[in-house]
Amino acid sequence: MATEDLFHPVVELPEPVRSQRYQRLVGLDDVKDQLRREAQLLVDPGRLEKWAEKHHGKNVAALKLFADRPPLFVFAGDVGAGKSALAESFGCDIAETLNVPVYLYRLKLSARGSGLVGEMTSLIGEAFAHVLNEGRKARGANGPRSVIIVVIDEADALAQSRALEQMHHEDRAGVDALLAGVDSLAGERVPVIVVMCTNREQALDPAVARRAAQTFMFDRPDDAQRREVLSSALDGLSIDAKTITKLVGLTGPRDKLPGFTYSDLTQRLIPACVMAAFPDQPLTAATILDVASALAPTPVFSTSA
Amino acid sequence: MATEDLFHPVVELPEPVRSQRYQRLVGLDDVKDQLRREAQLLVDPGRLEKWAEKHHGKNVAALKLFADRPPLFVFAGDVGAGKSALAESFGCDIAETLNVPVYLYRLKLSARGSGLVGEMTSLIGEAFAHVLNEGRKARGANGPRSVIIVVIDEADALAQSRALEQMHHEDRAGVDALLAGVDSLAGERVPVIVVMCTNREQALDPAVARRAAQTFMFDRPDDAQRREVLSSALDGLSIDAKTITKLVGLTGPRDKLPGFTYSDLTQRLIPACVMAAFPDQPLTAATILDVASALAPTPVFSTSA
Amino acid sequence: MATEDLFHPVVELPEPVRSQRYQRLVGLDDVKDQLRREAQLLVDPGRLEKWAEKHHGKNVAALKLFADRPPLFVFAGDVGAGKSALAESFGCDIAETLNVPVYLYRLKLSARGSGLVGEMTSLIGEAFAHVLNEGRKARGANGPRSVIIVVIDEADALAQSRALEQMHHEDRAGVDALLAGVDSLAGERVPVIVVMCTNREQALDPAVARRAAQTFMFDRPDDAQRREVLSSALDGLSIDAKTITKLVGLTGPRDKLPGFTYSDLTQRLIPACVMAAFPDQPLTAATILDVASALAPTPVFSTSA
Amino acid sequence: MATEDLFHPVVELPEPVRSQRYQRLVGLDDVKDQLRREAQLLVDPGRLEKWAEKHHGKNVAALKLFADRPPLFVFAGDVGAGKSALAESFGCDIAETLNVPVYLYRLKLSARGSGLVGEMTSLIGEAFAHVLNEGRKARGANGPRSVIIVVIDEADALAQSRALEQMHHEDRAGVDALLAGVDSLAGERVPVIVVMCTNREQALDPAVARRAAQTFMFDRPDDAQRREVLSSALDGLSIDAKTITKLVGLTGPRDKLPGFTYSDLTQRLIPACVMAAFPDQPLTAATILDVASALAPTPVFSTSA
Amino acid sequence: MATEDLFHPVVELPEPVRSQRYQRLVGLDDVKDQLRREAQLLVDPGRLEKWAEKHHGKNVAALKLFADRPPLFVFAGDVGAGKSALAESFGCDIAETLNVPVYLYRLKLSARGSGLVGEMTSLIGEAFAHVLNEGRKARGANGPRSVIIVVIDEADALAQSRALEQMHHEDRAGVDALLAGVDSLAGERVPVIVVMCTNREQALDPAVARRAAQTFMFDRPDDAQRREVLSSALDGLSIDAKTITKLVGLTGPRDKLPGFTYSDLTQRLIPACVMAAFPDQPLTAATILDVASALAPTPVFSTSA
Amino acid sequence: MATEDLFHPVVELPEPVRSQRYQRLVGLDDVKDQLRREAQLLVDPGRLEKWAEKHHGKNVAALKLFADRPPLFVFAGDVGAGKSALAESFGCDIAETLNVPVYLYRLKLSARGSGLVGEMTSLIGEAFAHVLNEGRKARGANGPRSVIIVVIDEADALAQSRALEQMHHEDRAGVDALLAGVDSLAGERVPVIVVMCTNREQALDPAVARRAAQTFMFDRPDDAQRREVLSSALDGLSIDAKTITKLVGLTGPRDKLPGFTYSDLTQRLIPACVMAAFPDQPLTAATILDVASALAPTPVFSTSA
């Protein structure tokens, strides 16, 4: 099976579009910070002992718990809250922090197999084998020559809870393969980070969820975050602060509607404002407010579905 | 796979029947206007920079958000509200505005494959590959020589939400293929517009819905719109204004029934009136009002179904 | 595939049994009248222009709406209300009115295919191709030499709403084929009328239902209609008017039961009365009333089922 | 396909065990009487005209309604109410009344096919073809030389309502085949009677149910019927009338339990009484009452199931 | 198909372990007694006439009802109430009573086939053919040389009610085969007894349930029965009567919990008590009461599941 | 089928990581103690007689109940309560107690087969055959040379209750094979212990559950147990007792949330604390309490799912 059947085209980070996206993801500083730490640990596991020794001495029992900790992170939360955007762009930051290239692998939905016996197992197995192999090549004498980030979007479809009666054998075998794949990475301590994104965290198989080194929860942007996103996106259009403030209010939770998601703001609202003026009018504050009033936020993804 | 297995016969626009339909779709001027702008942008993407520079100067951050914006539009709304009629006829307007021929491709329901592994994927893939190829040929040195509009009616059946537990792998792969197809068009910036029509917007896969450049909502015609449709359709029958007014009232929301749809008016009410008089009587106001009273509007398509 | 696999044996109308059935279908005069008009229009589409010109002048906009109007009628309503009986017998009237033979084609349930990929599509396709071919032969220089009526009983099973999640691809392809078949008839303007009968109108696919030139609703017979049916059926048995009146009451809605259907009256009540007397007794009014009291009407077919 | 794959071994009636069963089915005199009349009509259809002429004169409109009346009877009602017992034994009475042998054909459950495409259709078709062929042989110059009774037990499984969404094509084709089979018998006027037994009358396909010449409803035995069954079955055991009376009460509806069915009485209660005494004790009234008190009636078969 | 694919290894009874189990099944004397009578009848059917003649004279109508009575018994009731234990051990008693060897055949769950068309039918058919053949061999000039007991545990899985919509054809055919198999045994009057065990009596197909010569209901042991079981099992451990009494109370229904089943007592409670003392302590009354307090009874098997 | 398709790599115990895990499993002393006893009994079944004779004399009836007692234990309880951790580590203790190596076999999820007919049966059969064979080799003249522990995690997926209507034949056959496998071990008295872990005890097939020699229930750690786990894991970080006490409170049941599981404490809480300080800060009490406050416990696995 060729790589292009398993993954979308591999992207080398940093690259400008994703770097900008990463910058636009305001209000996620805490997550960004933690990911940076994890990446540092991954690149040089010995740092943990050095840290412990420096701050606490030699006999820190807690360090034992890091043994076999798989490099798996779960990004959970609402549609459009920035999970996928961060998963596909934080490698830019890692690349700059560690000064190595970062390769982004995005698993295809169809790499989940066709339901044929053994297919999902072997597809997942091949995907991880490929990544493991690349990860080995990435190891260098003086630390990793590059870092690999594997993103499994809509991960619940792959690793959904076996609590569901109707789970098929094939899915179980796929979970086996996924766990084995993640474990294989942990075992070889290759510079690979696996990120599973899901807006249905509770549908994840407990065996997978428990294995995650960390689960990050993503919410819709609050007022401050929306203000930052909007200010940045409207830059150059001479929109005054008062309009921005109104816009922050209009895009927050209204009546029974939730607030706008990150992608509502950047992929729907702003382009719609531009299109409302293009090709003959300048974009005015009034137009922006009109468009924002008319636009509804992405509905909350029902977790019961 | 031959083109005729994927698409209904391709129609070159403008052609009289669809032009007339486009004209009859009163009350949708806003949608028509936006579609015209999008088409202009599609034909010459550089216009956006020119617009920004002219009205706002060089550093308009918002323009970056148009990068990778796929030429995908969602027409959502009730049965008979004109979605399909507009999707299949707005190319007439585009053709006249841009002064190029427009080719209308309508995806067959059966092009969605038979459930065999890989079939939907390859069918969708072939359909988009064909369109992409035609799109490349359409590019000319001085702007596109023609525009292609791809209409996917009943799109929910193809791209339904993965929130539904029972979604099969094959469907997931089909969504992959659809997204890949739309992306391939965006990547090559060919003069192709994809329109997905659905009366079950909430059943669309979020990954597809989010990718839409714009989602247009279609409602049943209001009083003014019905008046315009009716006046136009009854032209030549010497029906007086008072009767038209009564008719507008009779075809609006009554009791617990919704108002008439566009197609209720043009495809059911008016022909039924004619048939009530044919072959021996003239069509009188009384007959028209009788027929309208007896006719029930198309029920609202249950979104929970 | 042989014709006998697609259709029940073709019946040439008029023939006595169906003519009598047509006559017995009292209270459906309005439907009968409309069907006769449609048939006239079908036989000579130019009549519509002549009618318009005669009564309204040359510029009647409404006539344009008849373009592409498919020769499809939906008979909807309760079990036993006469839908199938009328569908299979109104050709007798058409034959006499137009003075041409009418051929009755009844689609077999099994012509709906076996669920194999492509089978329903090709079966429906073959059925319409066969009918189209016969229709072409029927066209003559001076108007049609014959008329073909295609009856699709229990049509909901074939064209059920895609609102139902569980609809299979094959069914979708079947709807495609059905729509294509109906359109092919409209396109060639052959003297063919398609009638779909259903007691579950709301289960019909909207795309099919919208295409119908007319949907006729069938109800159970009211008092006057039952009286006419009963008087006619009991003719020759010397049953007095008072008994008939009592019988009309007994067979109407009682308590929570609906009234008797047409077929309840003619196929169940009257034969049961005869059998109650046969072989040794004359049939008396008392016996008839006894039998009627003991007989329950066909239950209303649950539309929610 | 051999006959033994379609039918249980054919039984020639009258034979002693079934004659006795027929006799033991007390309280069903009305049904027995009607079946006898229908059989007479079947054997010599001309009798109906003779009857009409004798009692009512020549122009009896009702006789026309007997044309195409299929020789199909539905026995509906509760488990153990005697449906199957009567269906398999009334031929004894017919044989004696008409003085010809009666052959009893019981369709096997497995003759309903395996779900393979076309199999149910061909199995049902073969079964009716076989019966039709035998029926033809049975016709003689002076009336039938024998009568054939076809019993389809648990008929709902074969002819269940198409109102059920999940009905498969194969089942629909089976209904087609069944209707065609019944019609073929009517068309040739062979001396064949088809009896469908079901305890789920409402699950029968309406197209089948409507075609039945008559539907007989079977209830559990009432006091008088139970008394007759019990007196007969306990004959020779010197049980006094008072005990029988108590027994009739004990086996009637108690608390929330229904009364005993015919088979509860003859196949469960009486043998259990005997076994309670066997091998060392005589059977006493006290024992009988004890056993009856301890025995629960067959539960009512849920029609909603 | 080899015997070992149909049945667990055949066991010749009596054998010590099962004899002991049979003895330990206290409180089931009534069932044991009835089974012994049935076995006697089975071995020498003529005994029934002798019994009748001796006690009631020659004309006992009830005896006719024993014709065709299949040697089928249903053991119904709660999990752990002793159904399977008795079904697999009462042959020891029969063997001793009749002084012949008894062979115990236990149908494998997998002998129910794989869902392939015809497989269940042929597996069940083979199983009964094998048993019938063995039964024939067992017949001797002076009564049977041996008796065969066939135990179908979890019988509901095999013969579940056709009231369930989702029953497959294959299951229906399996019921056919099962009924045919049981009938074949009755027809040949071979010394074979079939016992079907189920804890879901209401899920048994009515056609099977009605055919049972007798249905025995099994309940959890009451106080006296538990006392007997416990006294017997604790024999040799010097547990005083007062402790036994307490133990009887502790293992009875408590709060909302049901009482202990037979197997709870013998397979869980007593071994747990021993293990609580082993290897270093003697088993004391206190330990026994502690263990009993901590142990929960097997939950009641939900019949609605 | 190779061993590696059936089992995860076999682990020889004791080994340091699992020994440490075993030590960290505080509060499970009772279970540990019972497992040690069972292992002793398994290694030398004669010990039971010696024990009885020493403490109670020769005639201890209860010993008979140990005949055929399969070496099967069920570990039931909440996710993260230590079931799997204990199942995979108690062999370390056994190894030390008995002074023999212990081999840990963990059944793969995919060893449950693919749904193909017969596959699960043969896979389970092979797995047990392999284990039985290894068990035979392990028997020595002076007691076992080694002990084998077979762990079936997520056992409900394999042996789920047949009370569920939708259970397939294949699953039933798998249960057959599992029971046969467990019985084969009991029959040969090889030094093998089978442990089935499940967090859905009620979903286990009753036939399997009843066969368990013992079912151990696992709960989340209580205050004392959490204190012990936390003290041990935080050793070397100079965290004062007061902080530990607060931490015990924070990780206990709060509001409507359950308490932390063992794995919440060791695999999520402590590493998260370390990562919150790493790489630049020492880990302070305040950080620990902050992290603990922000972390939610694993939700209780719904048993109704």
Side-chain angles (χ1 to χ4, degrees), chain A residues 62-97:
Chain A
L63 298 197
K64 292 175 197 160
L65 300 175
F66 280 82
D68 301 324
R69 188 161 170 267
L72 174 66
F73 299 91
V74 172
F75 286 13
D78 205 358
V79 167
K83 296 184 307 293
S84 305
L86 184 61
E88 299 191 3
S89 69
F90 82 91
C92 297
D93 179 72
I94 302 296
E96 284 163 15
T97 304

Side-chain angles (χ1 to χ4, degrees), chain F residues 8-305:
Chain F
H8 293 285
V10 176
V11 178
E12 180 176 343
L13 304 178
E15 58 95 22
V17 170
R18 285 190 170 77
S19 284
Q20 283 178 22
R21 274 194 205 147
Y22 183 79
Q23 297 308 327
R24 278 202 299 270
L25 288 166
V26 301
L28 298 176
D29 290 342
D30 190 45
V31 179
K32 290 175 175 180
D33 181 49
Q34 291 192 57
L35 287 170
R36 205 179 291 130
R37 292 170 200 223
E38 295 280 359
Q40 288 174 349
L41 188 56
L42 192 73
V43 166
D44 183 358
R47 288 191 187 191
L48 198 60
E49 281 80 14
K50 288 177 203 151
W51 165 83
E53 199 165 347
K54 177 178 171 192
H55 294 288
H56 298 282
K58 287 216 166 196
N59 297 310
V60 174
L63 298 197
K64 294 175 195 159
L65 300 175
F66 279 83
D68 301 324
R69 188 161 170 266
L72 173 67
F73 299 92
V74 172
F75 286 13
D78 205 358
V79 166
K83 296 183 308 292
S84 304
L86 184 61
E88 298 191 3
S89 69
F90 82 91
C92 297
D93 179 73
I94 303 296
E96 284 163 16
T97 304
L98 301 181
N99 201 27
V100 292
V102 169
Y103 295 101
L104 174 65
Y105 286 75
R106 292 163 295 154
L107 194 74
K108 279 189 168 179
L109 280 174
S110 51
R112 288 147 194 208
S114 67
L116 288 187
V117 172
E119 195 184 7
M120 185 193 278
T121 308
S122 70
L123 284 172
I124 300 289
E126 278 183 68
F128 275 98
H130 181 83
V131 163
L132 177 59
N133 201 36
E134 295 299 309
R136 281 175 187 150
K137 292 186 205 159
R139 284 185 304 209
N142 305 311
R145 280 190 289 260
S146 65
V147 168
I148 292 169
I149 294 173
V150 180
V151 175
I152 305 177
D153 215 345
E154 318 272 353
D156 44 279
L158 177 61
Q160 67 185 349
S161 173
R162 277 160 297 167
L164 300 165
E165 298 295 347
Q166 68 265 44
M167 195 185 195
H168 296 100
H169 163 75
E170 196 54 27
D171 295 317
R172 278 183 260 142
V175 171
D176 260 348
L178 179 67
L179 295 177
V182 168
D183 285 350
S184 73
L185 299 177
E188 298 230 5
R189 298 196 163 256
V190 289
V192 179
I193 293 174
V194 180
V195 178
M196 301 179 84
C197 299
T198 178
N199 40 29
R200 299 172 61 217
E201 187 210 357
Q202 297 182 328
L204 274 190
D205 191 280
V208 173
R210 253 182 304 162
R211 199 158 301 218
Q214 190 115 2
T215 294
F216 297 108
M217 297 302 304
F218 288 69
D219 294 316
R220 298 192 176 211
D222 61 18
D223 283 10
Q225 290 166 339
R226 288 199 308 284
R227 178 180 301 277
E228 196 166 338
V229 170
L230 289 166
S231 302
S232 161
L234 293 172
D235 187 44
L237 290 168
S238 312
I239 306 300
D240 62 301
K242 204 166 147 191
T243 299
I244 299 276
T245 298
K246 281 185 190 163
L247 208 45
V248 167
L250 279 171
T251 56
R254 287 185 283 175
D255 305 317
K256 293 184 178 173
L257 291 175
F260 279 45
T261 67
Y262 284 104
S263 61
D264 285 341
L265 298 174
T266 58
Q267 291 174 31
R268 297 173 66 222
L269 174 62
I270 302 298
C273 290
V274 168
M275 289 310 289
F278 174 86
D280 299 323
Q281 307 295 326
L283 182 51
T284 64
T287 300
I288 293 176
L289 295 176
D290 279 357
V291 170
S293 301
L295 205 63
T298 298
V300 173
F301 195 84
S302 166
T303 56
S304 71

Side-chain angles (χ1 to χ4, degrees), chain C residues 27-294:
Chain C
L28 298 176
D29 291 342
D30 189 46
V31 179
K32 290 175 174 179
D33 182 49
Q34 291 192 57
L35 287 170
R36 206 178 292 128
R37 292 171 199 223
E38 297 280 357
Q40 288 175 349
L41 187 57
L42 192 72
V43 167
D44 182 358
R47 289 191 187 189
L48 199 60
E49 281 80 14
K50 289 176 203 149
W51 165 83
E53 200 166 345
K54 176 178 171 194
H55 292 290
H56 298 283
K58 286 219 167 195
N59 296 310
V60 175
L63 298 197
K64 293 175 194 159
L65 300 176
F66 279 82
D68 299 323
R69 188 160 168 268
L72 173 67
F73 300 91
V74 172
F75 286 14
D78 204 358
V79 167
K83 295 183 308 294
S84 304
L86 184 62
E88 298 191 3
S89 71
F90 82 91
C92 297
D93 178 74
I94 303 297
E96 285 163 15
T97 303
L98 301 182
N99 201 27
V100 292
V102 170
Y103 295 100
L104 175 64
Y105 286 74
R106 293 163 295 154
L107 194 73
K108 280 189 166 179
L109 279 176
S110 50
R112 289 147 193 207
S114 67
L116 288 188
V117 172
E119 196 185 6
M120 185 192 278
T121 307
S122 70
L123 284 171
I124 299 290
E126 279 182 67
F128 275 98
H130 181 83
V131 164
L132 177 60
N133 201 36
E134 295 299 308
R136 282 175 187 149
K137 292 185 203 160
R139 285 185 302 209
N142 306 310
R145 280 190 289 261
S146 65
V147 167
I148 292 169
I149 294 173
V150 181
V151 175
I152 305 177
D153 215 343
E154 318 271 353
D156 45 277
L158 177 61
Q160 65 184 349
S161 172
R162 277 160 299 169
L164 299 165
E165 298 295 348
Q166 69 266 41
M167 196 185 194
H168 296 100
H169 164 75
E170 196 55 26
D171 295 316
R172 276 184 261 143
V175 172
D176 259 349
L178 180 67
L179 295 178
V182 168
D183 285 350
S184 72
L185 299 176
E188 297 230 4
R189 298 196 164 255
V190 289
V192 178
I193 293 174
V194 181
V195 178
M196 301 179 84
C197 299
T198 179
N199 39 29
R200 300 171 62 216
E201 187 209 359
Q202 299 183 327
L204 275 190
D205 190 281
V208 174
R210 252 181 304 162
R211 198 158 303 218
Q214 190 114 2
T215 294
F216 298 107
M217 296 302 303
F218 288 70
D219 295 316
R220 298 195 175 208
D222 61 20
D223 283 9
Q225 291 166 339
R226 288 199 310 283
R227 178 180 302 277
E228 196 166 338
V229 170
L230 288 166
S231 302
S232 162
L234 292 171
D235 187 44
L237 289 167
S238 313
I239 306 300
D240 61 302
K242 204 166 146 190
T243 299
I244 299 275
T245 297
K246 281 186 191 164
L247 209 44
V248 166
L250 278 172
T251 55
R254 287 184 284 174
D255 306 318
K256 295 184 177 171
L257 291 174
F260 280 45
T261 67
Y262 283 103
S263 61
D264 285 341
L265 297 174
T266 58
Q267 291 175 32
R268 297 174 65 223
L269 174 62
I270 302 297
C273 290
V274 169
M275 287 312 289
F278 174 85
D280 299 323
Q281 307 296 327
L283 181 50
T284 64
T287 300
I288 291 175
L289 295 176
D290 280 357
V291 170
S293 301

